[in-house]
Amino acid sequence: MLGCTRSSLHVVASEKGVVVGRLIFHDDGDRIDCTRMGVGGKAIPPNIDRVSGIESDALFILLVEKDAAFMRLAEDRFYNRFPCIILTAKGQPDVATRLFLRRLKVELKLPVLAMVDSDPYGLKILSVYMCGSKNMSYDSANLTTPDIKWLGVRPSDLDKYRVPEQCRLPMTDHDIKVGKEMLAEDFVKQNASWVKELETMLQTKQKAEIQALSSFGFQYLTEVYLPLKLQQEDWI
């Protein structure tokens, strides 16, 4: 109605997203080194306009759906073996995290690789980062990061990495409905590989969380799964 952005009116949400890894920036004049933020990471500032002096020697940005996977990566200092910036909004992305991701992508010109659950909701969360949400459609140009690559966990990974049957979950009727809705989305239809993965999910009627990988050991994600994915450039 007013024709201006939320931040210009100083409307800010409480801190939700966190970041860790090969990133240095200034928050309202204070120098923040994200390699020295421990396991919990640095809370993403709610007012992105105060962020300046962004520096990084990372090769990519790793966007993680869940806090548990984020903490596993931070605990293992994954960003030291594979120079990257690791980011999570702990589920449904908030405005500050979406703004921050877009800012990093634009200023550092790094590829963004996403790791979400192998279910329709993981893809729905990705769609909010890439295309925006219906509630915030008026400001989507400032909030979206269109070219995010889907690294995992993908439906085809469940057989490829032999995820045990007991770690897979049957899809509910509602899951299947959401999956079919996602197949009709333009951002999915533009990518044949995404369509194929979603069709695999709907055919098998199986879903899995990122935590399913820990059935092989709690360090499997950081020691085996992600290194293999990155070395093989296995993203779509």
Side-chain angles (χ1 to χ4, degrees), residues 99-156:
L99 281 168
F100 192 67
L101 176 65
R102 180 179 168 82
R103 182 94 180 266
L104 292 180
K105 170 74 180 164
V106 169
E107 291 196 20
L108 299 173
K109 295 178 174 57
L110 293 174
V112 181
L113 307 177
M115 194 168 65
V116 296
D117 287 343
S118 177
D119 63 21
Y121 300 99
L123 262 191
K124 215 167 175 69
I125 283 169
L126 256 190
S127 78
V128 175
Y129 282 112
M130 292 175 72
C131 316
S133 62
K134 290 183 174 71
N135 292 348
M136 297 285 294
S137 56
Y138 59 86
D139 202 18
S140 62
N142 299 312
L143 289 168
T144 53
T145 308
D147 47 352
I148 296 175
K149 303 295 181 197
W150 186 9
L151 183 68
V153 175
R154 301 202 303 269
S156 59

Side-chain angles (χ1 to χ4, degrees), residues 83-94:
C84 63
I85 299 164
I86 307 168
L87 195 92
T88 185
K90 304 176 185 177
Q92 195 66 25
D94 58 315

